[in-house]
Amino acid sequence: MSTEPSVAILGLGWLGEPLAVTLAGLGYRVAGTTTDAAKAERLRQAGIEAALWNINDPLPPAWPTALAADTLVLCVPPGKVSDYAATLGRVTALAARAGVRRLLFTSATSVYGGTGVKTEADTGPDSERGERMLAAELRVRASGIPRVLCLRLSGLVGGSREPGRFLAGRRFEGGEEPVNLVALEDLLRFIPAILAREDWPETLNVSAPHHPRRQDFYRQAAELRGLPPPDFDGGGEGKSIDGGALCRWLGLDYEVTDWFSWLAERKARG
């Protein structure tokens, strides 16, 4: 295993691709996986070793040489993987046998159920999606990789993910529930800072500190894009994800602290 800073990113998608570019700019040797041959070639031209690999296919007998790295970042959403927990368990066990020392798994705050403020200690899913994500966390923790951090991400916005389009023109319940979101620009600040440290905790939430009502946020998001706003029934206490432990540990604050200002600034940029 090389001694230079090295990261392999499984899933060069919405988060994985800009993360790879960011880390390469910071001097890391970066490799990753995609199922898109054109994207792989484009990333190779940018100095990122991009391997074609669909983890739904049978696993190779050994960890690919192109992905040899000290740290593995898993950015593979459950909707693209059959038998999510078991597949990630097999992949990370293969990585462990190859000498991968650290694993950052981009999990989700769906592992929290119920209502009220949720910290990292409040795990208890009340949905099938949450159960699936928690099962995946348990499997990657059992992989044999010495250090594992499950980074529980709130709803993802920014980049190509335009929240004005998420709910436009439709009707939903729970308009009073708080939104729990994190912007791509904050993730691209936090993750490199995490990778630069060795004293990883087991779990951290990533959720901006502003939690407006769903009906207020998504109506404004749609209107700013000239889309029909969603309609909400009232009610719904919901839950608020506390992402403060990450800030205290890293000594970094969220850049996005007001979602309505973020929406307006995004609109102004086009």
Side-chain angles (χ1 to χ4, degrees):
M1 184 75 64
S2 172
T3 58
E4 67 180 309
S6 56
V7 176
I9 301 174
L10 199 63
L12 293 169
W14 177 85
L15 173 57
E17 180 176 353
L19 178 60
V21 172
T22 298
L23 293 175
L26 293 172
Y28 284 83
R29 180 171 57 84
V30 184
T33 69
T34 178
T35 60
D36 185 328
K39 177 187 283 190
E41 181 57 31
R42 172 167 53 80
L43 288 170
R44 290 185 195 117
Q45 294 296 324
I48 295 164
E49 180 62 43
L52 289 173
W53 188 12
N54 186 335
I55 66 171
N56 288 309
D57 295 337
L59 291 182
W63 189 249
T65 302
L67 300 179
D70 176 72
T71 302
L72 174 63
V73 179
L74 280 182
C75 291
V76 181
K80 296 190 175 183
V81 181
S82 303
D83 198 357
Y84 190 62
T87 298
L88 292 191
R90 290 191 291 269
V91 168
T92 52
L94 194 67
R97 293 195 292 274
V100 170
R101 187 175 63 84
R102 303 191 304 175
L103 169 64
L104 181 68
F105 173 42
T106 55
S107 183
T109 55
S110 57
V111 300
Y112 303 112
T115 60
V117 177
K118 302 297 178 180
T119 69
E120 287 81 356
D122 296 321
T123 306
D126 59 3
S127 67
E128 186 277 334
R129 181 178 180 181
E131 294 282 0
R132 178 175 53 184
M133 191 60 72
L134 184 57
E137 287 191 8
L138 294 173
R139 290 296 292 265
V140 301
R141 289 193 192 282
S143 64
I145 294 175
R147 185 164 294 160
V148 177
L149 168 56
C150 292
L151 201 61
R152 292 172 175 167
L153 310 183
S154 288
L156 305 172
V157 294
S160 62
R161 294 182 62 85
E162 171 51 59
R165 300 190 185 101
F166 289 175
L167 310 182
R170 293 185 284 167
R171 186 176 183 83
F172 296 89
E173 296 181 351
E176 299 289 330
E177 295 179 8
V179 299
N180 298 285
L181 300 169
V182 60
L184 178 61
E185 52 260 46
D186 270 327
L187 290 172
L188 295 179
R189 294 171 58 245
F190 288 139
I191 294 177
I194 291 169
L195 296 178
R197 295 183 60 152
E198 289 290 336
D199 57 332
W200 286 10
E202 292 188 355
T203 309
L204 285 169
N205 294 335
V206 193
S207 186
H210 186 208
H211 304 277
R213 298 187 305 173
R214 292 181 74 214
Q215 59 190 4
D216 296 334
F217 175 78
Y218 284 108
R219 283 173 178 164
Q220 181 161 327
E223 289 168 358
L224 283 173
R225 292 294 171 178
L227 298 169
D231 189 21
F232 288 93
D233 294 329
E237 180 182 351
K239 57 180 178 280
S240 294
I241 306 301
D242 182 349
L246 172 69
C247 297
R248 293 188 292 273
W249 177 60
L250 286 177
L252 288 175
D253 292 326
Y254 291 85
E255 285 191 346
V256 179
T257 57
D258 185 313
W259 284 113
F260 299 114
S261 295
W262 181 84
L263 287 171
E265 291 166 4
R266 184 173 167 88
K267 170 61 177 176
R269 293 194 302 268

